[in-house]
Amino acid sequence: MIPSDTVAKLHRALPFWLSLMLIPLILFVASQGSWWLILMPLSTWWLFSVLDHFAGLELENADPGTSEDQLFWYRAITLLWPPLQFATIFGLIWYATRADHLGAVELWALSFGIGVLSGTIGINYSHELMHQKSKLERWLGDLLLASVLYSHFRSEHLLVHHRYVGTRRDPVTARYNEGFHQFFPRVLRQSFMSAWAAEKAMLARKGLPVRDGSNPFWRYLALQAGFVALAFVIGGWIGLAMFLNQAVVAIWQLELTNYIEHYGLTRKHLGGGKYEHVQPRHSWNAAHKASNWLLINLQRHSDHHYKPDRRFPLLQNYTEADAPQLPYGYPVMTAVAMMPPLWVRIMNRRVKRWRAMYYPEITDWHPYNKGLHPLPR
């Protein structure tokens, strides 16, 4: 008989396991083809938006001092996901390239659905894993990122984003009035360059050249090359095209999320190239319950920046008195971000209200909008 305490712990963690249902769903739609393939984006973006409406907000906080042994069922999902995602991506490539009922458009749609899976869930879980102290968890995070050809995200996120968020030195802090379609190509270029520069600088401080084997970019390259080769061996050119398409979709979803998390929010310049410390006010938050189940509390983003290695069930919610709030959860807001005029209409007035609330002493925001302040060192 299972101890009642174990059952209670599993019951509390169960809503976060909903993402596992996406795997049998994508296997089902792959077997059916046709219009069934639209269920993948519908089940993540739209279903959880509807669930948010009915589930409401989650404003309560877990005790941040909760011990690791109390979090087993929360950790388990992030440890199980990498092998499940690996099997799903490459199993479906093998199946789809041999299935007679899937035409060219359906193969594209299926790989799009795989990208929804590896982007919405996989990259998000890699983000959780890369922040942990365990070597196993960090390696699993690396494998997830390599499976979408975006391994440098780890270096950029840990060494650049968390240090320079809210300044022009952080590529993924979206500028005020910068539409997503401007942001996306810029961040693809700049995030890779900033990640490489950060790792190069770290090696230099140790007296090592950039070509040294400890440079994680060589590991990133080897893992990504291995996944590309595996996709080709399993599915030929069609399989490789499917793999590349799912990677593009996953990266697009990641950067959509990056875009909305800090849009228009800047840290106060203190003079001499120095900026104030990162505070809860420098991240957009959302307390919508269902989308936080799907995204393992990523929407409690301010607390993540305060305690980057805090596990997701312990992330704390902030009220509007301490941190700016999005009007809807991430699934809705990322869809809105794809329509810049609507995004500007909804968000710019909120940014202006944020400025008036937290920085009434700043009357000229032109240097912040144009990046005229010196960058932090």
Side-chain angles (χ1 to χ4, degrees), residues 18 44-58 286-295 299 326-333:
L18 285 173
T44 51
W45 304 338
W46 305 115
L47 173 60
F48 278 85
S49 300
V50 173
L51 290 176
D52 272 340
H53 177 75
F54 291 103
L57 304 180
E58 178 58 79
H288 299 78
K289 188 179 292 186
S291 48
N292 266 323
W293 292 339
L294 177 69
L295 302 173
Q299 299 175 143
L326 293 169
Y328 305 101
Y330 281 16
V332 171
M333 296 309 296

Side-chain angles (χ1 to χ4, degrees), residues 330-364:
Y330 281 16
V332 171
M333 296 309 296
T334 50
V336 172
M338 289 297 295
M339 299 173 278
L342 180 58
W343 174 266
V344 167
R345 182 178 178 183
I346 291 174
M347 290 302 298
N348 277 17
R349 59 189 175 90
R350 287 179 165 81
V351 174
K352 291 176 180 176
R353 188 164 65 235
W354 173 87
R355 290 174 171 180
M357 178 178 180
Y358 292 109
Y359 301 103
E361 73 279 10
I362 300 177
T363 56
D364 181 12

Side-chain angles (χ1 to χ4, degrees), residues 28-34 37 95-96 98-103 106-107:
F28 171 75
V29 301
S31 70
Q32 301 301 305
S34 188
L37 293 165
Y95 171 79
R98 292 162 176 79
D100 295 332
H101 67 288
L102 297 175
E106 290 164 309
L107 289 172

Side-chain angles (χ1 to χ4, degrees), residues 83-358:
L84 290 174
Q85 178 170 301
F86 176 88
T88 301
I89 292 175
F90 293 102
L92 284 176
I93 288 175
W94 181 89
Y95 171 79
T97 53
R98 292 162 176 79
D100 295 332
H101 67 288
L102 297 175
V105 174
E106 290 164 309
L107 289 172
W108 176 86
L110 177 60
S111 63
F112 186 97
I114 297 172
V116 170
L117 192 81
S118 58
T120 303
I121 309 302
I123 295 184
N124 191 30
Y125 284 16
S126 76
H127 171 255
E128 171 76 6
L129 293 164
M130 74 171 70
H131 276 287
Q132 305 310 317
K133 297 174 182 177
S134 161
K135 288 185 178 180
L136 171 63
E137 288 175 293
R138 294 200 300 269
W139 259 102
L140 290 174
D142 280 348
L143 291 172
L144 286 173
L145 290 176
S147 71
V148 295
L149 305 180
Y150 218 54
S151 293
H152 67 275
F153 173 65
R154 173 178 166 177
S155 294
E156 192 281 332
H157 185 79
L158 298 179
L159 302 180
V160 182
H161 176 63
H162 273 271
R163 183 177 180 184
Y164 298 115
V165 64
T167 75
R168 286 284 170 141
R169 193 160 177 177
D170 175 34
V172 301
T173 294
R175 306 3 176 171
Y176 182 72
N177 268 337
E178 180 182 34
F180 176 74
H181 304 294
Q182 298 169 294
F183 170 85
F184 191 42
R186 177 183 66 75
V187 80
L188 289 178
R189 179 182 70 258
Q190 292 183 359
S191 64
F192 182 88
M193 294 170 61
S194 64
W196 174 265
E199 293 291 359
K200 181 179 178 181
M202 182 173 288
L203 288 166
R205 288 193 292 271
K206 299 176 182 178
L208 298 173
V210 72
R211 64 179 180 277
D212 188 81
S214 62
N215 185 341
F217 270 78
W218 309 131
R219 180 172 73 252
Y220 300 162
L221 179 62
L223 289 172
Q224 292 178 166
F227 282 131
V228 167
L230 182 58
F232 181 77
V233 168
I234 290 174
W237 291 109
I238 295 175
L240 178 58
M242 290 183 65
F243 179 76
L244 295 177
N245 188 49
Q246 70 83 29
V248 169
V249 173
I251 293 167
W252 164 61
Q253 288 181 105
L254 165 66
E255 298 304 351
L256 265 172
T257 302
N258 276 332
Y259 177 78
I260 68 173
E261 285 175 336
H262 304 281
Y263 172 79
L265 306 182
T266 53
R267 286 151 62 190
K268 183 179 179 180
H269 183 244
L270 303 177
K274 295 182 179 180
Y275 287 76
E276 65 177 320
H277 290 300
V278 180
Q279 299 182 54
R281 69 186 64 169
H282 298 123
S283 302
W284 291 102
N285 294 261
H288 299 78
K289 188 179 292 186
S291 48
N292 266 323
W293 292 339
L294 177 69
L295 302 173
I296 55 172
N297 281 342
L298 182 66
Q299 299 175 143
R300 295 186 167 195
H301 206 61
S302 287
D303 199 53
H304 169 67
H305 274 272
Y306 170 62
K307 280 282 189 180
D309 63 346
R310 180 173 282 169
R311 293 195 183 274
F312 75 86
L314 305 183
L315 289 172
Q316 305 292 289
N317 180 65
Y318 287 88
T319 66
E320 195 161 9
D322 298 306
Q325 305 292 314
L326 293 169
Y328 305 101
Y330 281 16
V332 171
M333 296 309 296
T334 50
V336 172
M338 289 297 295
M339 299 173 278
L342 180 58
W343 174 266
V344 167
R345 182 178 178 183
I346 291 174
M347 290 302 298
N348 277 17
R349 59 189 175 90
R350 287 179 165 81
V351 174
K352 291 176 180 176
R353 188 164 65 235
W354 173 87
R355 290 174 171 180
M357 178 178 180
Y358 292 109

Side-chain angles (χ1 to χ4, degrees), residues 168 176 355 362-373:
R168 286 284 170 141
Y176 182 72
R355 290 174 171 180
I362 300 177
T363 56
D364 181 12
W365 286 91
H366 180 74
Y368 291 91
N369 295 342
K370 298 298 182 182
L372 300 179
H373 285 310

